[in-house]
Amino acid sequence: MKLREMEKLTAHFDAYFGQTDSMVLHPVVDMQPHIDTLLYEPNEAYPWWKLVTMGASDYRMPVKKAPLGDRNEYIMLVDAAENLRDAATVNRYLHLLMEVALYPPLNRQYLTYGHSLEWEPSEGEEMVGAFLELPQIIPDPNVVRCRLGLGKTAVCLLVVPLTRAELDRLLEIGPEAFSLWLFPEEESAPQHFLSEVKRSARF
């Protein structure tokens, strides 16, 4: 990703998250496309950690008609109780995020909201797949699209990692009903749109 595109993507999320304190995390191993990650701390408006890919949109997905676009960047929201300042902890979340971000270029596939994917988990890991959704927790729908340059617009999608039971539930009830479960209308209901590497009572 070109420097100017990085600046535009960062400014996009700075504006929608209402903060300018992001930290750039670089990948441990070289990959193509090269994908960095922006890490935002919890703030008053959005009291969770925010992880945002920066570079996934360098891959143009093969699709004839894309409802939103053919280039994606990905958002992951993590409970504030997790210590993402700790390298080992944040790397576990980055691993899940990269499972999704690298899926289109590695498999030459198109991904958009409402899609799910499944992977073979490492030993001891609970998450076996992910669901892609629009970042509905942000009221302004314009957060979904970030214009990076002439003919290049990134679609910004929310990633929610899933256990085997949750993935089975998604397949049983379908993406629309599952989306309602992720974003319940009751304020006191669990926030299912938050990502976890291990399921807790918070979910």
Side-chain angles (χ1 to χ4, degrees):
M1 182 174 257
K2 297 176 181 177
L3 178 59
R4 181 59 179 153
E5 294 171 343
M6 293 180 184
E7 291 173 345
K8 287 184 176 182
L9 189 70
T10 303
H12 179 81
F13 284 104
D14 283 356
Y16 286 102
F17 292 153
Q19 58 193 124
T20 58
D21 60 352
S22 67
M23 177 188 305
V24 179
L25 306 178
H26 301 285
V28 177
V29 296
D30 189 29
M31 61 181 76
Q32 292 300 325
H34 179 92
I35 303 175
D36 295 316
T37 307
L38 297 173
L39 172 64
Y40 289 86
E41 297 201 358
N43 65 350
E44 185 176 353
Y46 301 104
W48 320 288
W49 296 96
K50 284 80 72 177
L51 291 165
V52 180
T53 60
M54 185 167 63
S57 58
D58 281 348
Y59 178 70
R60 187 173 186 178
M61 296 179 291
V63 59
K64 291 182 179 179
K65 293 182 179 180
L68 294 177
D70 55 10
R71 298 176 186 270
N72 290 344
E73 295 290 353
Y74 303 92
I75 306 164
M76 183 176 278
L77 303 176
V78 180
D79 195 281
E82 291 285 85
N83 181 14
L84 295 197
R85 296 185 189 91
D86 175 70
T89 303
V90 75
N91 282 339
R92 295 184 71 189
Y93 284 96
L94 291 177
H95 174 74
L96 294 176
L97 188 57
M98 291 305 148
E99 285 278 8
V100 176
L102 291 173
Y103 184 85
L106 291 179
N107 296 279
R108 297 184 180 180
Q109 292 289 324
Y110 170 65
L111 282 180
T112 190
Y113 72 98
H115 286 181
S116 61
L117 60 156
E118 182 178 350
W119 57 75
E120 189 66 34
S122 303
E123 185 176 353
E125 295 296 330
E126 295 182 14
M127 302 302 141
V128 302
F131 181 67
L132 297 181
E133 186 46 286
L134 300 176
Q136 299 180 35
I137 200 63
I138 300 173
D140 190 338
N142 291 315
V143 68
V144 172
R145 295 170 64 85
C146 176
R147 190 171 186 273
L148 300 172
L150 185 63
K152 186 176 182 181
T153 297
V155 177
C156 305
L157 301 175
L158 182 68
V159 173
V160 184
L162 303 175
T163 63
R164 168 56 58 195
E166 293 153 3
L167 190 58
D168 289 345
R169 180 177 184 177
L170 165 62
L171 296 176
E172 178 183 349
I173 67 176
E176 289 188 21
F178 195 78
S179 179
L180 293 174
W181 180 72
L182 289 178
F183 297 96
E185 293 183 0
E186 302 81 8
E187 292 185 4
S188 60
Q191 298 171 325
H192 295 134
F193 59 85
L194 294 178
S195 296
E196 293 185 312
V197 291
K198 282 193 172 295
R199 276 290 168 260
S200 70
R202 296 191 301 266
F203 195 89

